[in-house]
Amino acid sequence: MTRLRGLLCLAAVTLVAACEGLMPPAQEKPAPDLAPRPSARSEALADYYSGVQADLIARGLLRQDGGGPDTPVTPDMLARNFENIVFYDEYARGGGLRRSNGRAGGLRRWDVPVRVGVEFGASVPAAMRSADTATVKDYVARLASASGHSISVTAARRANFHVLVMGADDRAEMLARVREIIPGASHATLSLFRHTPREIHCLVVAFSDETNTNAYRTAIAMVRAEHPDLLRKSCYHEEIAQGLGLANDSPEARPSIFNDDDEFALLTSHDEALLKMLYNPALSIGMSLDAARPTIKTLARSLAGRYY
């Protein structure tokens, strides 16, 4: 998604690439006690993103309350938001930043346990590594509880969902890891990581199996190390959740992080309901929107009352 706010931008991208070759990731490297001094480019990005966060907070955005009396959700609203976020794409599958054709696709989610590995670039200080690892562990436990799917944090060498926390000074290291995880990665996929515009704050690319293009088997999320704490945490929340199958954004979704308006920074109870619906066994991988709609309405009636 691309979020424009005058001269300031906040953006995240979710894309899907199918049938690209996969291989196990390399062994983790021990974290250094001291990170090297950041380059002028990295320092400039850190200053820019600090300004973005300050501007958004000053305007009452990046809420962390998850919604309240001002954000009511009806069953019809929940069903509509689920359809828009799960069955549509903002960007074309495997097409980099090329916009999608706007047509509904099949339902996509993981059909194997999700094992999240967090990897930090050499520029990331030890204190940030420790704090962010704890943040991701807590968040992943919440996602597992909401979805009912097996989702946990593991060592990088065992992961199939790779969260790369890297700065501008770690670009070569990041590209090497992407090539290592996805040896057959397309030019469009590599370009996302090689030439990431400043307006793109974080992104996730999910890869499917050759035999079922709607079944996710691995994912790579990139979070910029230059972000201040809240923006960085919001990236973890959105990109990991989107990499589970909540792939699109909708201007009608509220209270939700799957909306370009930046109102909410962290996963809301509305978003938990979407995740619970997505992994409900009554819905199956590859199901069309028309086939799924009656079940979506039934689930929404049940969950809207439970969550609100």
Side-chain angles (χ1 to χ4, degrees):
M1 67 188 129
T2 302
R3 306 166 177 178
L4 300 179
R5 296 286 181 267
L7 296 178
L8 298 177
C9 305
L10 173 61
V13 175
T14 300
L15 306 128
V16 177
C19 306
E20 295 188 356
L22 308 179
M23 70 177 294
Q27 299 288 323
E28 291 177 289
K29 298 177 181 179
D33 292 330
L34 295 174
R37 179 178 177 82
S39 67
R41 179 185 179 192
S42 181
E43 289 182 332
L45 282 173
D47 289 344
Y48 169 77
Y49 292 130
S50 292
V52 170
Q53 177 175 289
D55 174 78
L56 293 171
I57 292 174
R59 292 186 286 113
L61 302 175
L62 293 182
R63 289 172 56 174
Q64 301 178 65
D65 57 6
D70 63 317
T71 58
V73 177
T74 67
D76 286 346
M77 292 165 62
L78 186 60
R80 176 203 65 205
N81 294 341
F82 182 86
E83 291 184 9
N84 289 337
I85 291 169
V86 170
F87 288 91
Y88 294 88
D89 292 297
E90 187 170 2
Y91 296 94
R93 295 193 187 193
L97 296 178
R98 178 168 52 85
R99 294 286 176 172
S100 73
N101 57 22
R103 292 194 293 269
L107 184 143
R108 290 155 293 168
R109 68 185 185 211
W110 292 72
D111 63 348
V112 296
V114 180
R115 299 295 176 251
V116 180
V118 187
E119 303 178 50
F120 299 94
S123 73
V124 182
M128 183 188 294
R129 296 177 185 223
S130 177
D132 284 21
T133 298
T135 293
V136 172
K137 284 183 177 179
D138 289 344
Y139 181 53
V140 165
R142 180 182 173 190
L143 294 174
S145 177
S147 67
H149 190 68
S150 178
I151 311 172
S152 62
V153 173
T154 189
R157 64 183 179 276
R158 299 189 184 97
N160 54 13
F161 196 128
H162 307 267
V163 181
L164 309 182
V165 188
M166 301 196 178
D169 297 339
D170 306 312
R171 187 59 54 90
E173 179 183 356
M174 179 172 61
L175 288 171
R177 284 298 291 128
V178 173
R179 290 192 182 98
E180 193 172 22
I181 296 165
I182 314 293
S186 66
H187 175 74
T189 296
L190 292 174
S191 291
L192 284 172
F193 295 94
R194 181 184 291 110
H195 305 297
T196 311
R198 186 176 69 168
E199 291 75 19
I200 302 298
H201 287 199
C202 40
L203 61 87
V204 64
V205 186
F207 299 88
S208 59
D209 184 85
E210 289 186 2
T211 60
N212 187 346
T213 58
N214 292 299
Y216 291 163
R217 292 300 174 85
T218 195
I220 304 175
M222 184 277 287
V223 176
R224 291 186 186 268
E226 287 90 0
H227 286 322
D229 290 346
L230 182 55
L231 280 189
R232 210 168 58 256
K233 187 175 183 180
S234 73
C235 277
Y236 292 132
H237 274 236
E238 182 163 11
E239 301 312 323
I240 297 176
Q242 292 205 300
L244 294 177
L246 300 174
N248 196 22
D249 297 292
S250 170
E252 297 178 308
R254 183 174 187 259
S256 180
I257 59 174
F258 307 116
N259 189 317
D260 285 341
D261 63 4
D262 304 328
E263 183 179 8
F264 291 91
L266 309 179
L267 197 81
T268 67
S269 54
H270 165 277
D271 300 332
E272 286 191 12
L274 295 180
L275 196 60
K276 186 173 289 292
M277 293 169 66
L278 177 62
Y279 280 87
N280 190 291
L283 296 173
S284 59
I285 291 175
M287 183 178 283
S288 70
L289 175 54
D290 287 342
R293 186 167 281 131
T295 302
I296 293 170
K297 291 181 177 179
T298 299
L299 293 174
R301 283 194 296 270
S302 171
L303 290 175
R306 175 178 172 181
Y307 278 80
Y308 297 92

